[in-house]
Amino acid sequence: MDFFRAYKAKGTATSTYFIESTAPDNVDDEAPPSDLPPEYAPHLEKMDDSEKAVKQIAEDLGKGQNPNLVVMVHGFNNPEPNVLRMYMSAALAIGRDPQISSREGLVCVGYRWPSENMGAPRRGARDALPTLAGWILTLGILVVVISLPFYFIPGTANVVLNWLGRLGEHVFTLIGWTAAGLMLMAVLLRIIVYFRDNYRASNYGIPDLIQVIRAIDAEIMRQREQSSRTEPWPRVQLSFIGHSMGGFVVTNAIRTLSDVFAVPVDALNSYGAGSPPALRPEPPLNLIGKTFELKRFVLASPDIPAETLLSTRGNFLASALSRFDEAYLFSNEGDEVLRQISTLANYFVFPAKSKNHGFRLGNVEILSRSFGMIDVNEQDYLRVLRIGNLTLQELYDTLEDAREKRLVTAAAAPEQAPLPKRFTYFDCTDYIDRDNPDTPDTRNNWLALLTFARWRKEYDAEARLKWYSHLHLLFAYVVHHQKPNVHGGYFEGMLSQELIYRLACLGYDDTVRAYGGEAAVGEACAQKQIRMLVSPMLWSNRRANASVEPPRPAGEPTRTARQAAPQRAPQAGAPTPQVVPDLVGKSIVTARDEVAVVRERHMEATPPVSGVEPQVLLLEITRPADGKPAGEVLSQTPPAGSPLAQRTSIEVVIAK
């Protein structure tokens, strides 16, 4: 029995393979897996034996001095033709990029787990319905049919009234409609395939991906043992690109591949991301198997809860993310597949009391009026990243307050896991670009690819899409053939594809060199309206390896875009820079007004820099205060009179 099928791409400069699990969509399917669609025959060569594909992958990896295996994993609602189209597009994009295709020892693998098209399960919906649910549905429909004449055929109600009475008539009708509606809702949840795909991803996708990685690792070792080479063999770099639910598949696969017994357990509560630093795994964390080392992890619209970035408990994202050298997140505020469909589906399973929690990582947005590389100090990092209604800092404060209240005994708060700072973020909410490599790269050919690109933050960094904008995007995605493609547009735009594949295949350093420096990367993103926020941890590691020029100024809290972007001298006659206003003792309404005035003056007084904008943020923290009226500002940081930096965050404590 073949558990996998494999194909090799024809005519690509980089060795590219497609491996798919043959697990069926339904456990009782009788039909064999479908053959390769005819339109892909000119591009793909079906391999008679999937074992042969593993051997060829291992051979191709052995041809380079720095072998690199990049695995791409798709998301939910993706039948085989859609996945093959996506992976062929990726192979062609990589082939067009000489910076990637010229690398020896690079092998790309597109992995498909069993996912089906939305609406496909409708044919078996009635037969698969449990017996009791089927009875309830039949009874409900029967009651609905019987009750309709009560309201539409004159005289019928009088006959029934003598038997049920008017109240009984309405109760009878309500019960029927409710029973039928509940069962039809269960059928609808089946048809949207989210839960079915989630089950297959967990029980087929993850174990099968683990088996693929293990098989390649074993074959590499087998070939090396048979080789006559005497010098040591290099480790094979292993990187992943995960889209949507594919990010969930990858993170759980890495979590399983990592040896859970590598870390000693000195106490029951020495657990996961919240364990003391002394008990966390020692480097090298990224070595798995006999030959692989984890290098880069690129997530595009990941269907992963935002709270996993902040949780101090063991979670699948913390276990996987801490093992990669570099991590990247491509997201957009208007991803309605995650914001509406995923959050609604997870409403039944995600343990939260408030709608502020449960948003997905694919909806992360950067609070900035400008595009390109965003200038932010490390202490403000969580405050300029928002998911749904709250910034990451507000989410963290909320979770910490809840944790403190539910603790039975007093305990010191654990050190916050630095997971959010491991990511380099690309906010593609307003992304515009061409989606055809054959058209000239001029503004006339640029399209809004993920949203309608209204640039809501042009005058206010904290602006958000309106409720009707979200409805419009959802309607356009469902009815207008995914135009704009709010969930997968990253793999249609030329720049976004280039960034994703370069970062996964080359890493940050070589990607920066390919563009001609960090300033050029920021300028490319600014031109296509992408906001980019570089990970402080990535910057620190690069500087430690002496790979960054010019050197970082002493005492700078974190890398700023001003170090990478061209500097402009202040203009003659420019207004005097502003200072932090005195807000203590004033109402929060007055404080907001004063900060708004300072913000506008600061923007006028500070010369603009490409990819960087002057900004004043107001962070409000509410605390109980006896004898103080609610809404009064009790304290502020920094103190009044402090000079405003390019980006300043004013934190105020307000009486509750």
Side-chain angles (χ1 to χ4, degrees), residues 510-563:
D510 285 348
T511 297
V512 167
R513 294 191 189 99
Y515 283 100
E518 282 193 312
V521 176
E523 186 61 33
C525 290
Q527 187 182 41
K528 300 298 177 65
Q529 299 188 175
I530 295 176
R531 298 178 180 90
M532 178 182 177
L533 189 60
V534 179
S535 161
M537 299 181 69
L538 175 60
W539 174 254
S540 299
N541 291 339
R542 294 177 67 230
R543 187 168 186 270
N545 294 330
S547 61
V548 181
E549 293 293 342
R552 180 169 146 194
E556 187 72 15
T558 186
R559 177 209 143 296
T560 65
R562 197 179 301 153
Q563 294 169 255

Side-chain angles (χ1 to χ4, degrees), residues 142-174 177:
L142 182 62
V143 172
V144 169
V145 172
I146 293 174
S147 64
L148 286 177
F150 299 173
Y151 302 95
F152 298 103
I153 301 178
T156 306
N158 294 331
V159 176
V160 182
L161 280 175
N162 295 330
W163 175 46
L164 291 177
R166 186 169 298 278
L167 178 61
E169 171 194 341
H170 293 309
V171 171
F172 180 73
T173 304
L174 181 62
W177 281 88

Side-chain angles (χ1 to χ4, degrees), residues 379 576-584 595 598-599 602 606 615-617 636-651:
Q379 59 265 34
T576 304
Q578 301 297 303
V579 296
V580 176
D582 187 2
L583 306 176
V584 177
V595 170
V598 171
R599 181 183 293 128
H602 185 48
T606 307
Q615 182 64 56
V616 179
L617 300 179
Q636 70 177 69
T637 305
S642 302
L644 294 181
Q646 178 80 357
R647 190 179 185 97
T648 297
S649 177
I650 303 175
E651 181 179 296

Side-chain angles (χ1 to χ4, degrees), residues 177-230:
W177 281 88
T178 302
L182 287 175
M183 294 305 103
L184 290 174
M185 178 59 71
V187 173
L188 177 62
L189 291 175
R190 170 189 173 89
I191 291 176
I192 67 173
V193 308
Y194 184 88
F195 293 108
R196 288 166 57 86
D197 269 8
N198 192 286
Y199 179 90
R200 286 187 291 256
S202 300
N203 294 279
Y204 303 141
I206 295 171
D208 288 358
L209 177 58
I210 291 171
Q211 182 63 14
V212 169
I213 300 300
R214 293 179 68 240
I216 295 175
D217 179 75
E219 181 60 30
I220 292 173
M221 286 301 301
R222 193 156 33 244
Q223 293 184 11
R224 288 182 174 183
E225 290 171 356
Q226 296 172 357
S227 171
S228 58
R229 174 171 171 164
T230 56

Side-chain angles (χ1 to χ4, degrees), residues 358-379:
F359 285 97
R360 322 308 277 179
L361 281 183
N363 286 130
V364 171
E365 53 180 316
I366 299 172
L367 301 184
S368 171
R369 296 174 58 247
S370 300
F371 301 108
M373 282 193 177
I374 306 304
D375 179 12
V376 58
N377 291 323
E378 188 167 358
Q379 59 265 34

Side-chain angles (χ1 to χ4, degrees), residues 341-599:
I341 298 175
S342 178
T343 53
L344 176 61
N346 284 284
Y347 167 77
F348 301 97
V349 295
F350 188 75
K353 295 191 299 181
S354 168
K355 63 182 179 182
N356 290 328
H357 301 274
F359 285 97
R360 322 308 277 179
L361 281 183
N363 286 130
V364 171
E365 53 180 316
I366 299 172
L367 301 184
S368 171
R369 296 174 58 247
S370 300
F371 301 108
M373 282 193 177
I374 306 304
D375 179 12
V376 58
N377 291 323
E378 188 167 358
Q379 59 265 34
D380 295 328
Y381 203 78
L382 301 187
R383 295 168 183 161
V384 299
L385 294 169
R386 185 171 66 195
I387 303 181
N389 301 323
L390 302 176
T391 65
L392 284 183
Q393 186 64 57
E394 290 170 333
L395 277 174
Y396 178 73
D397 292 340
T398 301
L399 294 175
E400 278 303 295
D401 287 344
R403 187 194 68 84
E404 291 175 2
K405 291 178 181 178
R406 68 173 176 261
L407 286 179
V408 178
T409 58
E415 176 188 356
Q416 181 183 358
L419 294 183
K421 297 178 182 179
R422 285 187 174 274
F423 276 115
T424 292
Y425 298 85
F426 293 85
D427 180 356
C428 301
T429 301
D430 298 303
Y431 176 41
I432 54 175
D433 201 352
R434 60 193 172 116
D435 60 354
N436 186 342
D438 297 326
T439 59
D441 190 14
T442 61
R443 199 171 189 89
N444 292 335
N445 295 321
W446 295 352
L447 307 170
L449 294 176
L450 289 125
T451 69
F452 297 119
R454 304 296 191 197
W455 195 3
R456 299 285 186 184
K457 292 181 172 63
E458 182 177 6
Y459 301 107
D460 182 5
E462 299 183 11
R464 62 183 79 229
L465 293 178
K466 305 296 184 182
W467 63 270
Y468 49 81
S469 298
H470 288 294
L471 290 180
H472 189 190
L473 282 170
L474 181 61
F475 180 82
Y477 180 80
V478 174
V479 177
H480 292 164
H481 308 289
Q482 301 182 6
K483 298 296 181 183
N485 189 349
V486 299
H487 193 53
Y490 314 95
F491 302 101
E492 297 175 1
M494 296 299 103
L495 177 61
S496 56
Q497 289 185 78
E498 189 175 74
L499 285 170
I500 288 173
Y501 302 136
R502 282 186 176 181
L503 290 170
C505 298
L506 308 180
Y508 188 79
D509 281 349
D510 285 348
T511 297
V512 167
R513 294 191 189 99
Y515 283 100
E518 282 193 312
V521 176
E523 186 61 33
C525 290
Q527 187 182 41
K528 300 298 177 65
Q529 299 188 175
I530 295 176
R531 298 178 180 90
M532 178 182 177
L533 189 60
V534 179
S535 161
M537 299 181 69
L538 175 60
W539 174 254
S540 299
N541 291 339
R542 294 177 67 230
R543 187 168 186 270
N545 294 330
S547 61
V548 181
E549 293 293 342
R552 180 169 146 194
E556 187 72 15
T558 186
R559 177 209 143 296
T560 65
R562 197 179 301 153
Q563 294 169 255
Q567 301 296 303
R568 297 185 184 180
Q571 299 177 355
T576 304
Q578 301 297 303
V579 296
V580 176
D582 187 2
L583 306 176
V584 177
K586 299 176 181 178
S587 70
I588 186 57
V589 176
T590 302
R592 290 171 185 158
D593 292 340
E594 290 194 13
V595 170
V597 172
V598 171
R599 181 183 293 128

